[in-house]
Amino acid sequence: MGVSRRGPFKSAVPSIVVSPVRRCSRTACGRPAVATLTYVYADSTAVLGPLATYAEPHCYDLCAEHSERLTAPRGWEVVRLAVDTGSARPSSDDLEALANAVREAARPQERAGGAGAAPGAVAPGGRGPDPMEVARRGHLRVLRSPDS
C-alpha cells in the first residue's frame, strides 16, 4: 500500500511543518497575525482589536501592516481597540504560577491532612470517603462548598 505502478504516492500539496502561529487572513500574506477584525453589520462598524484567543469563523486575523492600513466601506465606522504588539511569550510571573501549581498538585497529603481539613476527612489515598466530595465521574470530583 502506498506504492502505485508509477512509484510512491506524491501529495499534490507539499508537506510542511504546520506553524502554531496564526497567519494574516489577507490573500498571499504569510505574516503573523497581531489583530482580529470583526464586523458589526447592525451598527455599520468594523472593530479592530487584539488578536482573539481562538480563530472564529466570522473574524479575520490581520498582520501589523494590514491592520494599520485597514479602511472600511463608505458610511462605516472603524473602532480600533488597543493592540498589544509586544511579545506573546509567557512572562516570568506566568511560568512561576505554573510551577507553583505543579508543586501544589504534587503534595496531595498536605492538602487533605492539613490544619484546615474537615474532621473525618481522609487523604485521597485513604480508606474512607471525603465528606466534601458530592459526586465522582472518572478522575473528576464534584466538591461541596466549604461554606455549606
Side-chain angles (χ1 to χ4, degrees):
M1 195 171 220
V3 178
S4 69
R5 287 183 277 175
R6 294 185 217 148
F9 286 129
K10 298 215 178 189
S11 174
V13 178
S15 176
I16 59 172
V17 176
V18 177
S19 171
V21 176
R22 291 196 344 234
R23 301 288 176 188
C24 183
S25 297
R26 295 290 301 261
T27 305
C29 181
R31 290 184 290 264
V34 297
T36 298
L37 172 66
T38 306
Y39 291 106
V40 182
Y41 294 99
D43 298 332
S44 299
T45 305
V47 180
L48 183 68
L51 187 63
T53 306
Y54 300 102
E56 297 289 335
H58 299 289
C59 296
Y60 303 92
D61 295 336
L62 299 176
C63 64
E65 181 181 337
H66 286 121
S67 63
E68 290 171 8
R69 296 187 326 182
L70 175 73
T71 60
R74 186 175 296 156
W76 282 56
E77 181 183 356
V78 177
V79 175
R80 293 178 186 269
L81 303 175
V83 176
D84 181 21
T85 57
S87 172
R89 294 177 180 255
S91 70
S92 62
D93 291 340
D94 295 338
L95 295 174
E96 189 173 335
L98 179 61
N100 289 338
V102 169
R103 282 187 208 108
E104 182 65 26
R107 291 184 256 149
Q109 68 279 1
E110 289 182 21
R111 284 186 290 173
V122 178
R127 293 173 195 85
D130 185 356
M132 298 297 287
E133 187 174 315
V134 175
R136 181 175 215 126
R137 186 170 194 171
H139 68 282
L140 302 175
R141 297 182 299 163
V142 177
L143 302 177
R144 186 176 335 123
S145 172
D147 299 335
S148 61

